[in-house]
């Protein structure tokens, strides 16, 4: 088996000591190792944020793009080179605020890629503002009197938009996290894992402890093929369930695009010349 | 008697077959080797309203759709009234004599009455045949090949059954025969056949953009619908899968360009196309392409702005956003084609520049050239010169994505290449692609990215000269306004008034020295562009020599300049 270390770059993570994202990194390295992927066949894509620094810490191809745009960049890569293993990383602000539009559309297209969100309910990189997953009344620098908005349900958004693998994990439980990542990487289709990954510097409310206290593994008998069941679990505001909510086999975007391509064996020049002649 | 060229306008109620009559004549003329430019307007409503199809046919190259009408085909009185003002002295009017008779001064305008409706009803018992009767009659008047039209007709109506084909065929012949019998050859509308008969094809500027990209070898297109650029996306959707390519409609323009950049990062040429509002949305990602040094081509089809502006109307007001839009010091190339044919050619150039220099290239076209159909010489694929991205060749040394080189261009490792693993980033980065915030690295890397621009002038035919270079008066322009300017200069030359002309194709990096050289010593230079601020003129104003006076000809009426307007101002400044 490949060693997790072979996917680790020489760049030391810039995260604060104690940041939840370290556990996501080590779980990712182990999942890569178990997948047995060649380094050069992996492309790690991200937006902007503390969590989006991820690609720098991997010894793979990487694209640290702009805030909120990891998924369209990843879609472009996967569309052009379906044989590559494309994994996108980011934060809750990156994915569910500025990038929310891309998130639902990437799910809808069922692009064959893995999307790992480090969800700390806060904006880390910009030093502590309210995020779309911050709770109501949560006080931050941008909501000093308490957050006046309700939080988004990322998993519900993923499920209702057509994601075909939807899971939630905790960075305090790296073993399970690795399993969830592995499942996502093995899955053919848009696989999203929302990781409750605390920002120890700017979020004193959503900590390793409170995330653990408020979460609970999905019931043993949870049926991962039942979309409505998955949705109701994801909607549950009393407890944040962890584990695989939903898994489905569905054609991926690449399958549909491939099916459109004509395979009549004609040369490229001949085809273009045919188009030109049709315009006389 | 025969004529070298003619501006024909067909007008009628929507649903009267104006557009299809125009299309038949256009294709027949193009197949006979005539050069032409067409212009159409559809009413906003699906039914009802007024339709216009204008075609300028010539035995020689044409630059504009033409100012005045030489032949008006008005199916009803209302259509005649709407267009009579545009008739030139000596113009001819074809009208349906079974419907109305236009009131004109017959010493100036020649009337040609043909009872289209009555013929259809009485001779064919087929009222809908009126349009094909008109096509047949006009083909005879203009001396266009009937056989070609008959082939097109069969193709068009085949799906509707043999009987429909036959009825339309009969109508076509009836129109032809009626003119032959009743009007003879005396009308004087016979077009002189072109001197050199080259193989032509018909394309809109949008189609030419798409074809140019495909001729380069593009297989990955990402876009979002927007008037007047959507046809590029639709063309790609229809044709790219045939060459094993992909057109993906994104959720917005930010996604389209991000997808294109992603695809390009993975090693393939990629593009998107849009219009002003979309380009504004793309500006952050444009900077990303610049800093990660990923080739991408963006065709921006200008329309009237700002904001949503007038989506279907012509303007050239995106020069600033194309040249300067986006934050930071961003290396980019902006190329503005000057005609439909140039759209095809400059797209190939754009890909060559983008791929070789690893940067974003904007191809700036405009509504006027995007939607009009024009004849262009049939492109020869084996004449297309393609430049490809410089790829990393592997080796033992650690790969440095942004290693400095003399040209600024660093060989790229693309995913899949073992040992070439690296990260690119919108953050400033070191040679190996690690984030760096020190000023020294930023200065070094910015300079590296801009160094690549030095090669641009040798790769782009950045200036189009026309007219008499040494004339004391000049006209300076860009984009489709070059068409009207060239025509004006040609007409003035035929009247013995020399004018120097220059159309700037390469807008960024702007060829300032060449433009100043052009202006040097001239008494007056008129800068012609379809925008309010004089966006190009403002770049050069104040830099020219003491003798030269700059006059700006600007217009924001949503329609192209009339050649006459350019002629007037050139005559005025020459005095
Ligand atoms: C267009 C744009 N707007 C704003 C920013 C500033 N910005 C950088 S990261 C970020 C949010 C980070 O939060 P999140 O995505 O949750 O990641 P985290 O840092 O918490 O891991 C913001 C607002 C930016 N880089 N670009
Ligand atoms: S600021 Fe928060 S999210 Fe960012 S590295 Fe530090 S702990 Fe992690």
């Amino acid at each position: 088996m490949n060693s997790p270390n072979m996917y680790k770059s020489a760049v030391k993570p810039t995260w604060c000591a104690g940041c939840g994202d370290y556990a996501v990194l080590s779980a990712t390295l182990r999942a890569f190792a178990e997948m047995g992927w060649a380094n050069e066949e992996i492309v790690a894509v991200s937006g902007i944020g503390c969590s989006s620094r991820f690609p720098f810490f991997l010894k793979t191809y990487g694209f640290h793009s702009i805030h909120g745009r990891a998924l369209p960049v990843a879609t472009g890569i996967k569309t052009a080179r379906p044989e590559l293993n494309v994994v996108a990383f980011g934060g809750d602000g990156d994915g569910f605020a500025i990038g929310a539009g891309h998130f639902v559309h990437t799910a809808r297209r069922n692009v064959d890629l893995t999307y790992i969100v480090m969800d700390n309910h806060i904006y880390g990189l910009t030093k502590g503002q309210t995020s779309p997953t911050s709770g109501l009344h949560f006080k931050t620098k941008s909501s000093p009197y308490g957050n006046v908005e309700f939080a988004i349900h990322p998993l519900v958004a993923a499920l209702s938009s057509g994601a075909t693998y939807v899971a939630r994990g905790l960075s305090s439980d790296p073993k399970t996290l690795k399993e969830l990542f592995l499942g996502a990487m093995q899955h053919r289709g848009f696989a999203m894992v929302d990781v409750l990954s605390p920002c120890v510097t700017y979020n004193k409310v959503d900590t390793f402890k409170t995330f653990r206290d408020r979460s609970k593994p999905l019931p043993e008998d949870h049926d991962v093929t039942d979309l409505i069941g998955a949705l109701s679990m994801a909607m549950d505001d009393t407890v944040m369930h962890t584990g695989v909510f939903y898994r489905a086999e569905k054609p991926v975007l690449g399958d549909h695009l491939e099916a459109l391509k004509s395979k009549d064996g004609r040369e490229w020049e001949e085809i273009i010349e045919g188009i030109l002649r049709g315009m006389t | 008697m025969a004529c070298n060229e003619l501006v024909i306008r067909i007008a009628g109620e929507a649903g009267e077959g104006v557009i299809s009559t125009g299309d038949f004549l256009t294709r027949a003329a193009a197949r006979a080797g005539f050069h032409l430019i067409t212009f159409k307007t559809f009413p906003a409503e699906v039914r009802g309203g007024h339709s216009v199809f204008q075609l300028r046919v010539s035995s020689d190259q044409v630059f504009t759709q033409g100012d005045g009408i030489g032949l008006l085909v008005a199916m009803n009185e209302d259509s005649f009234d709407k267009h009579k003002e545009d008739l030139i002295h000596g113009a001819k009017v074809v009208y349906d004599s079974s419907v109305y008779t236009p009131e004109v001064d017959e010493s100036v305008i020649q009337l040609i009455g043909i009872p289209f409706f009555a013929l259809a009803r009485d001779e064919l018992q087929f009222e809908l045949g009126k349009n094909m009767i008109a096509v047949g009659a006009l083909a005879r008047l203009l001396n266009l090949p009937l056989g070609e039209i008959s082939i097109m007709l069969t193709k068009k109506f085949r799906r509707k059954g043999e009987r429909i084909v036959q009825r339309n065929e009969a109508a076509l012949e009836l129109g032809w025969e009626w003119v032959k019998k009743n009007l003879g050859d005396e009308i004087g509308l016979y077009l002189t056949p072109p001197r050199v008969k080259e193989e032509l094809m018909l394309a809109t500027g949008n189609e030419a953009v798409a074809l140019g990209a495909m001729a380069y070898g593009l297989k990955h297109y990402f876009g979002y619908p927007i008037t007047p650029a959507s046809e590029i996306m639709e063309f790609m959707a229809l044709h790219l899968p045939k060459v094993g390519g992909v057109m993906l409609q994104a959720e917005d323009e930010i996604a389209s360009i991000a997808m294109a950049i992603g695809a390009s990062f993975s090693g393939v040429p990629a593009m998107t196309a849009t219009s002003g509002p979309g380009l504004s949305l793309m500006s952050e990602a444009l900077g990303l392409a610049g800093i990660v040094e990923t080739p991408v081509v963006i065709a921006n089809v200008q329309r009237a702005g700002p904001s949503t502006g007038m989506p279907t109307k012509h303007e050239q007001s995106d020069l600033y956003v194309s040249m300067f839009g986006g934050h930071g010091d961003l290396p980019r190339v902006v190329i503005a084609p000057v005609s439909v044919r140039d759209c095809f050619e400059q797209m190939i150039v754009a890909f060559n520049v983008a791929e070789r220099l690893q940067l974003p290239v904007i191809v700036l076209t405009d509504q006027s050239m995007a939607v009009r159909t024009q004849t262009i010489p049939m492109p020869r694929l084996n004449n297309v010169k393609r430049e490809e991205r410089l790829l990393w060749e592997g080796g033992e040394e650690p790969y440095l994505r942004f290693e400095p080189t003399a040209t600024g261009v660093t060989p790229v490792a693309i995913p899949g290449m073992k040992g070439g693993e690296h990260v690119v980033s919108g953050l400033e980065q070191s040679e190996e692609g690690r984030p760096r915030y020190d000023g020294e690295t930023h200065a070094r890397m910015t300079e590296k990215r801009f160094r690549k621009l030095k090669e641009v002038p040798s790769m782009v035919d950045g200036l189009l000269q026309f007219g008499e270079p040494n004339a004391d008066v000049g006209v300076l322009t860009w984009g489709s306004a070059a068409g009207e300017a060239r025509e004006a200069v040609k007409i003035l030359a035929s009247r013995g008034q020399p004018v120097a002309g220059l159309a700037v194709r390469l807008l960024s990096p702007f060829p300032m020295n060449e433009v100043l050289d052009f202006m040097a010593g001239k008494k007056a230079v008129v800068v012609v562009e379809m925008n309010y601020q004089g966006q190009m003129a403002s770049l050069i104003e104040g830099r020219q020599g003491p003798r030269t006076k700059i006059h700006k000809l600007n217009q924001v009426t949503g329609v192209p300049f009339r050649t006459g307007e350019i002629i007037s101002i050139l005559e005025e400044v020459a005095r």
Side-chain angles (χ1 to χ4, degrees):
Chain A
M1 202 189 84
N2 289 344
S3 127
N5 274 338
M6 71 178 256
Y7 300 98
K8 208 163 134 181
S9 80
V11 182
K12 274 218 148 41
T14 38
W15 296 316
C16 308
C19 176
D21 297 352
Y22 284 101
V24 179
L25 178 60
S26 66
T28 301
L29 297 174
R30 282 185 290 136
F32 281 170
E34 282 192 40
M35 289 303 293
W37 285 342
N39 299 59
E40 69 273 15
E41 301 287 341
I42 303 173
V43 186
V45 186
S46 66
I48 299 294
C50 293
S51 41
S52 290
R53 289 293 174 98
F54 220 91
F56 290 112
F57 316 134
L58 299 174
K59 193 169 178 295
T60 64
Y61 280 88
F63 199 141
H64 177 248
S65 69
I66 43 179
H67 195 29
R69 317 303 169 196
L71 290 176
V73 171
T75 299
I77 296 170
K78 189 70 188 177
T79 301
R81 300 276 309 276
E83 75 282 12
L84 296 170
N85 303 307
V86 183
V87 186
F89 299 94
D92 38 302
D94 195 72
F96 311 142
I98 192 165
H102 307 310
F103 172 48
V104 296
H105 288 281
T106 313
R108 171 174 77 87
R109 295 184 184 109
N110 199 27
V111 186
D112 183 17
L113 48 90
T114 297
Y115 181 35
I116 294 172
V117 182
M118 283 147 270
D119 185 354
N120 52 19
H121 295 14
I122 194 125
Y123 284 11
L125 190 74
T126 45
K127 301 186 192 300
Q129 299 83 11
T130 303
S131 113
T133 50
S134 299
L136 189 67
H137 306 315
F138 178 48
K139 287 189 179 171
T140 70
K141 286 184 198 156
S142 65
S143 56
Y145 306 113
N147 184 15
V148 293
E149 298 171 10
F150 297 103
I152 197 171
H153 286 88
L155 302 192
V156 174
L159 289 164
S160 65
S161 307
T164 48
Y165 178 101
V166 177
R168 179 151 57 206
L170 290 161
S171 52
S172 56
D173 179 4
K175 243 173 98 176
T176 313
L177 205 52
K178 188 223 56 190
E179 292 305 322
L180 295 176
F181 290 175
L182 196 58
M185 290 172 194
Q186 283 163 343
H187 177 74
R188 198 165 178 278
F190 184 66
M192 189 258 200
V193 186
D194 188 48
V195 186
L196 300 173
S197 180
C199 167
V200 294
T201 307
Y202 297 109
N203 190 339
K204 306 294 181 192
V205 175
D206 303 294
T207 62
F208 282 105
K209 181 172 177 343
T210 58
F211 271 149
R212 215 166 26 231
D213 293 348
R214 280 159 51 210
S215 65
K216 186 166 94 187
L218 284 161
E220 291 272 308
D221 62 351
H222 175 71
D223 177 3
V224 296
T225 63
D226 173 13
L227 180 59
I228 302 300
L231 277 165
S232 64
M233 283 296 170
M235 288 291 293
D236 193 346
D237 278 330
T238 60
V239 55
M240 294 196 284
H241 293 284
T242 56
V244 180
F245 284 67
Y246 183 64
R247 185 167 20 202
E249 299 278 321
K250 233 169 61 176
V252 299
L253 176 69
D255 295 338
H256 294 298
L257 294 173
E258 202 50 43
L260 298 182
K261 295 180 184 172
S262 61
K263 295 173 182 70
D264 60 6
R266 282 188 301 158
E267 289 293 322
W268 169 81
E269 262 102 351
E270 201 184 330
I271 295 165
I272 305 231
E273 257 151 24
I275 297 170
L276 293 172
R277 269 195 303 276
M279 295 175 74
T280 52
Chain B
M1 210 186 87
C3 51
N4 282 329
E5 75 147 72
L6 188 64
V7 176
I8 306 167
R9 188 178 295 174
I10 308 167
E13 291 307 304
E16 272 193 313
V18 167
I19 305 291
S20 90
T21 302
D23 274 334
F24 273 116
L25 296 177
T26 300
R27 295 199 173 271
R31 288 184 186 185
F34 288 102
H35 297 262
L36 49 90
I37 288 185
T38 76
F39 163 85
K40 347 175 176 177
T41 64
F42 300 91
E45 314 90 86
V46 176
R47 250 209 88 88
H50 190 67
S51 272
V52 178
F53 190 110
Q54 181 162 318
L55 69 152
R56 182 175 181 192
V57 206
S58 171
S59 45
D60 212 346
Q61 208 188 348
V62 281
F63 298 121
T64 74
Q65 66 198 36
D67 281 2
I69 313 169
L71 172 63
L72 175 65
V73 182
M75 295 301 190
N76 56 49
E77 189 150 20
D78 185 44
S79 303
F80 172 76
D81 289 339
K82 278 202 169 78
H83 299 283
K84 60 184 176 195
E85 297 302 327
D86 293 335
L87 292 169
I88 59 169
H89 195 95
K92 300 176 174 51
V93 177
V94 168
Y95 64 99
D96 189 340
S97 56
S98 51
V99 176
Y100 76 109
T101 306
E103 274 176 41
V104 293
D105 175 354
E106 291 198 46
S107 64
V108 184
I109 304 292
Q110 184 186 354
L111 288 179
I112 306 170
I114 305 175
F116 297 120
F117 180 70
L119 285 172
R121 185 191 52 200
D122 304 339
E123 305 271 323
L124 301 173
Q125 289 78 48
F126 174 43
E127 290 180 14
L128 290 174
K130 189 178 91 161
N131 297 329
M132 282 321 296
I133 295 177
V135 173
L138 289 163
R140 175 73 202 184
L141 287 170
L142 300 165
N143 196 24
L144 295 175
L146 190 67
E148 291 286 359
I149 299 178
S150 172
I151 294 168
M152 287 184 267
L153 179 155
T154 310
K155 224 166 142 185
K156 178 168 175 173
F157 293 110
R158 199 164 36 203
R159 271 186 308 128
K160 298 191 176 165
E162 188 56 28
R163 195 173 139 68
I164 300 287
V165 173
Q166 275 168 11
R167 296 188 89 177
N168 278 288
E169 190 78 47
L172 178 71
E173 272 163 38
L174 179 62
W176 176 279
E177 290 301 328
W178 193 92
V179 170
K180 189 173 165 189
K181 188 162 141 231
N182 296 286
L183 303 173
D185 297 336
E186 299 302 304
I187 304 294
L189 285 171
Y190 269 27
L191 292 162
T192 324
R195 263 173 297 122
V196 254
K197 195 178 162 189
E198 49 180 338
E199 197 186 352
L200 300 172
M201 62 174 278
L202 283 162
T204 63
N206 278 342
E207 288 167 339
V209 162
L211 281 167
M214 287 183 74
Y216 170 80
L218 174 90
K219 291 192 180 168
H220 295 85
Y221 181 97
F222 304 89
Y224 188 78
I226 187 165
T227 304
S230 298
E231 289 78 19
I232 300 175
M233 179 173 88
E234 290 158 8
F235 191 96
M236 295 297 191
L238 186 64
H239 295 301
L240 273 185
K242 296 180 188 170
V243 294
V246 169
M247 193 303 284
L248 192 60
Q249 181 176 328
E251 55 272 27
D252 57 38
E253 287 86 350
I254 301 176
S256 342
I257 188 168
M259 288 175 184
I261 292 170
S264 179
F265 172 77
S266 83
V268 302
M271 76 168 285
T272 182
T274 187
S275 187
L279 185 66
S280 293
L281 284 179
M282 289 179 187
S283 52
E284 188 192 10
L286 202 64
L288 176 67
I291 195 168
V292 299
E293 302 198 37
T294 295
V296 64
V297 173
I298 301 123
N300 182 54
V301 185
Q302 298 168 93
R303 66 189 214 187
S307 187
T308 311
M310 301 196 288
T312 57
K313 293 293 158 61
H314 176 57
E315 208 162 273
Q316 297 177 279
S317 49
D318 294 350
L319 180 67
Y320 285 163
V321 68
S322 302
M323 290 180 72
F324 309 121
H327 59 284
D329 287 312
L330 155 60
R332 84 193 72 211
V333 174
V334 182
I335 303 171
V338 297
S339 65
V340 170
R341 174 183 183 172
D342 212 27
C343 285
F344 178 87
E345 284 163 10
Q346 297 310 317
M347 279 305 288
I348 295 167
V349 173
F351 276 102
N352 283 339
V353 172
E355 291 289 324
R356 170 148 151 198
L357 303 181
Q358 304 175 18
L359 42 68
V361 177
I362 296 174
V363 175
L364 197 52
T365 76
D366 52 56
Q367 193 269 352
S368 169
M369 69 169 117
V371 304
R372 72 180 179 221
T373 305
Q374 192 168 347
T375 42
I376 62 173
M378 180 63 78
R380 300 273 166 249
L381 287 182
N382 40 7
N383 292 345
V384 173
K385 288 197 179 52
R386 298 181 187 86
E387 299 241 11
E388 278 168 19
R389 214 178 293 185
L390 184 63
L391 292 182
W392 178 61
E393 286 176 346
E396 294 305 304
E397 299 285 297
Y399 174 66
L400 298 180
R401 172 62 187 96
F402 301 109
E403 186 171 32
T405 61
T407 56
V409 176
T410 312
V412 199
I414 57 170
M417 291 181 172
K418 197 167 178 52
E421 297 86 356
H422 65 275
V423 182
V424 296
S425 169
L427 289 173
E428 187 57 277
Q429 53 215 315
S430 61
E431 281 72 3
E432 62 266 61
R434 308 258 168 84
R436 286 284 182 276
Y437 299 146
D438 64 284
E440 200 274 320
T441 303
H442 183 48
R444 190 171 71 247
M445 286 299 163
T446 304
E447 195 280 324
K448 171 198 191 290
R449 293 189 287 265
F450 274 88
R451 200 181 315 148
K452 298 187 290 185
L453 293 180
K454 289 209 181 103
E455 272 201 68
V456 175
S458 68
M459 297 185 71
V460 184
D461 188 3
L463 301 164
L464 176 78
Q465 302 240 24
F466 50 96
E468 179 51 58
N470 298 322
D472 205 26
V473 168
V475 59
L476 181 63
T477 187
W478 63 279
S480 73
E484 289 86 40
R486 284 168 89 179
E487 173 117 338
V489 168
K490 192 172 145 190
I491 292 171
L492 285 169
S494 72
R495 296 184 192 160
Q497 288 173 259
V499 175
L502 187 71
V504 184
R505 251 198 212 107
L506 179 60
L507 293 168
S508 185
F510 192 78
M512 188 62 78
N513 291 339
E514 288 80 355
V515 171
L516 293 179
D517 281 351
F518 167 79
M519 300 204 294
K522 294 204 188 321
K523 173 168 119 186
V525 172
V526 178
V527 186
V528 178
E529 51 188 328
M530 278 289 299
N531 55 53
Y532 184 79
Q533 299 172 96
Q535 297 191 359
M536 185 168 81
S538 71
L539 301 176
I540 48 177
E541 244 179 345
R543 292 176 176 246
Q544 79 277 20
R547 180 168 183 258
T548 311
K549 196 163 158 31
I550 291 179
H551 300 265
K552 297 192 217 171
L553 182 60
N554 301 112
Q555 175 176 307
V556 284
T557 51
V559 289
F561 288 102
R562 283 167 159 267
T563 305
E565 290 159 347
I566 302 175
I567 291 178
S568 304
I569 187 166
L570 285 169
E571 282 178 327
E572 201 182 303
V573 303
R575 270 199 287 275

